[in-house]
Amino acid sequence: MTNATELTVEPIIGLEIHVQLATRTKMFCGCPLEFGAPPNTRVCPVCLGLPGALPVINRQAVELAVRAALVLNCRIATFTKWDRKNYYYPDLPKNYQISQYDLPISSDGYFELTCDGQPRRVGIIRAHLEEDAGKNVHDFPGYTGVDLNRAGTPLLEIVTQPDLHSADEAREFAVQLQRLVRYLGVSEANMQEGHMRFEPNINLRIISGGQEFRTPIVEVKNLNSFRSLYLAVQYEIDRQLEQWRETGETAAMGNKSNRGWDDVKEITLPQREKEEAHDYRYFPDPDLVPMTFDPAWVGQLQSEMPELPIRRTERFVAEYRIPAQDAPALVDDRRTADLLDSAAAAGGDKVTLAKHFLSFWAKHANERATTVAGLGIAPQRLAELANLVQAGKVNATAAAQIAEAMLSSSDSPTALAERLGLLQSRDTDQIAAWVDQALAANAQAVQDAIANPKKIKAARGFLTGQVMKLSGGKADPKIVGELIEKKLAEKTGGNH
Ligand SMILES: [Zn+2]
């Protein structure tokens, strides 16, 4: 468009993501992390914030944070410290949260993802450790309860650059980050249990009549599903454009705001004005020592990094010859991807294995609400079944039946194929007998075909089908084809 109403709108989106780390115990005490435990039963003087209780750093949480930071290509701090973020809220009995302010554990990284099949890089400003607050429970008429089981849960807060430009991209980032932290074992990233929470910062860059305008930045708080992240970002994009058209208000100092998400009405609603950092009176926590990291230890963690999903996808497409759109089904669950590699390493035909994983193994996994790896079948047996198909000993339909039997039997796929009578017959005499039978039963059609060479191809296909039927699906189709060819050639004197 080149008329006077020409308008370019570019959403500018950054994300803050809280990821719950997969530790057994809390960040600064030994209380177990257990979702759904009765309220205030997983607490101690430290996480209750009782006077005189001293925090002790959870080493595993630090290690998981460093692993995540490395995969986000962040610089790992050689010196990092803990700060108190002071605020007063019922779910925070200490009246401060232990977090990291000016010296986070890691910073300056990027995350590689694919959007619409295109590689994209999203800058990571920082990723720091902190503890979660408790939870207010509004289940009682007239008053509110506080459950402190969650207080002190280790969180990694990841802050991205405002490098995302649509609701789709924001969701894609979140989905691929979830896959990544699961791959690393850094987090279970279970959305239902609140292991990942998103807070997008959104505003618009609008170009109108040759002038550039930026709408005020809005932070939407506490989104706990991919769907609400997507919908909230999309809602804000539309709402901010609308508001800009009505009021012309643009970003200036101090007009950032927080909004909440109403999951029922699917709208954002204004919340209290956003605090600035100085409102929190950050200061170093005197109860916790700063941390320094030995480069050799960081190097060790780096060397233990698994093959990441984005690279594995490329390799699977090339090695297993699968279409790119099927890759997530094989790659997203690390144990399933590892199993496929193990089955291939056990000598299984790669292309056949991938087909089996995507078809009947995926189906059985879905029916049992698990993953293919969760079916618990040894890689050697998966490989053996794939090779029975590859060698022409069983056909594809039979393979699915054998797979089903494998789920409840520890016998080898070959033994099961024999027991179920599914091994293809490679007995040439037997197949020849079936071919003769099929030819005799369709003598007229065969004569027609011989008289009219245009019909010969259709006749061959028809006869093959008849022989397969006579054999109960057990005849090796390759041998059947060869024998039919030979018999027809004999009848025509070898002219076809
Ligand atoms: Zn505790």
Side-chain angles (χ1 to χ4, degrees), residues 26 29-31 42-48 151:
K26 293 186 181 180
C29 63
C31 292
R42 302 294 183 269
V43 291
C44 72
V46 173
C47 54
L48 284 174

Side-chain angles (χ1 to χ4, degrees), residues 222-237:
N222 227 358
L223 301 168
N224 54 18
S225 69
F226 297 131
R227 181 175 179 274
S228 59
L229 172 63
Y230 174 85
L231 291 174
V233 170
Q234 193 55 54
Y235 181 84
E236 269 306 301
I237 291 170

Side-chain angles (χ1 to χ4, degrees), residues 162-430:
D163 288 345
L164 298 159
H165 300 294
S166 69
D168 270 321
E169 283 190 10
R171 177 174 56 190
E172 206 46 44
F173 180 96
V175 167
Q176 293 187 34
L177 183 70
Q178 179 195 44
R179 185 175 69 171
L180 189 73
V181 294
R182 283 181 170 169
Y183 246 73
L184 290 171
V186 158
S187 175
E188 291 171 35
N190 183 338
M191 309 298 288
Q192 283 73 39
E193 298 187 8
H195 292 176
M196 276 181 101
R197 304 197 293 269
F198 309 101
E199 303 196 328
N201 281 278
I202 307 143
N203 75 332
L204 306 177
R205 179 172 160 266
I206 300 169
I207 298 181
S208 171
Q211 263 192 294
E212 183 180 310
F213 303 90
R214 285 181 190 245
T215 58
I217 296 174
V218 165
E219 180 168 321
V220 184
K221 306 300 283 184
N222 227 358
L223 301 168
N224 54 18
S225 69
F226 297 131
R227 181 175 179 274
S228 59
L229 172 63
Y230 174 85
L231 291 174
V233 170
Q234 193 55 54
Y235 181 84
E236 269 306 301
I237 291 170
D238 297 342
R239 189 193 65 79
Q240 290 185 23
L241 183 59
E242 187 74 10
Q243 181 172 307
W244 176 80
R245 284 188 208 270
E246 279 172 18
T247 66
E249 193 195 352
T250 58
M253 286 296 287
N255 64 353
K256 275 185 176 182
S257 59
N258 284 347
R259 294 177 77 89
W261 175 244
D262 184 324
D263 220 7
V264 178
K265 294 185 188 147
E266 298 184 349
I267 58 171
T268 66
L269 294 163
Q271 285 186 342
R272 72 192 193 286
E273 286 310 290
K274 191 176 163 69
E275 293 89 352
E276 294 297 329
H278 61 252
D279 294 329
Y280 290 122
R281 298 185 297 112
Y282 280 101
F283 66 88
D285 193 307
D287 290 341
L288 286 161
V289 288
M291 297 185 291
T292 54
F293 300 125
D294 178 0
W297 177 71
V298 175
Q300 172 68 28
L301 296 185
Q302 179 86 61
S303 71
E304 289 166 11
M305 196 89 78
E307 181 183 30
L308 299 179
I310 198 163
R311 299 280 162 268
R312 201 165 212 180
T313 297
E314 291 165 4
R315 180 169 66 80
F316 274 21
V317 167
E319 279 184 16
Y320 292 90
R321 282 184 265 147
I322 50 162
Q325 70 265 23
D326 285 342
L330 297 177
V331 174
D332 281 3
D333 176 55
R334 183 176 163 191
R335 287 178 57 229
T336 296
D338 288 349
L339 180 66
L340 179 56
D341 275 340
S342 303
D349 178 69
K350 287 185 171 179
V351 174
T352 313
L353 274 171
K355 276 187 194 147
H356 289 181
F357 268 55
L358 289 167
S359 57
F360 48 76
W361 291 129
K363 182 183 135 253
H364 290 306
N366 283 340
E367 284 168 3
R368 288 162 177 76
T370 183
T371 59
V372 175
L375 293 171
I377 297 176
Q380 292 75 11
R381 303 179 75 217
L382 298 169
E384 187 181 331
L385 178 61
N387 289 348
L388 284 176
V389 176
Q390 169 67 11
K393 290 180 183 161
V394 301
N395 63 32
T397 320
Q401 282 175 261
I402 297 164
E404 185 140 21
M406 284 166 72
L407 291 165
S408 54
S409 164
S410 55
D411 290 352
S412 76
T414 309
L416 289 169
E418 271 169 24
R419 190 188 316 149
L420 296 167
L422 294 169
L423 280 179
Q424 289 190 345
S425 175
R426 300 176 66 84
D427 176 342
T428 315
D429 291 344
Q430 173 63 66

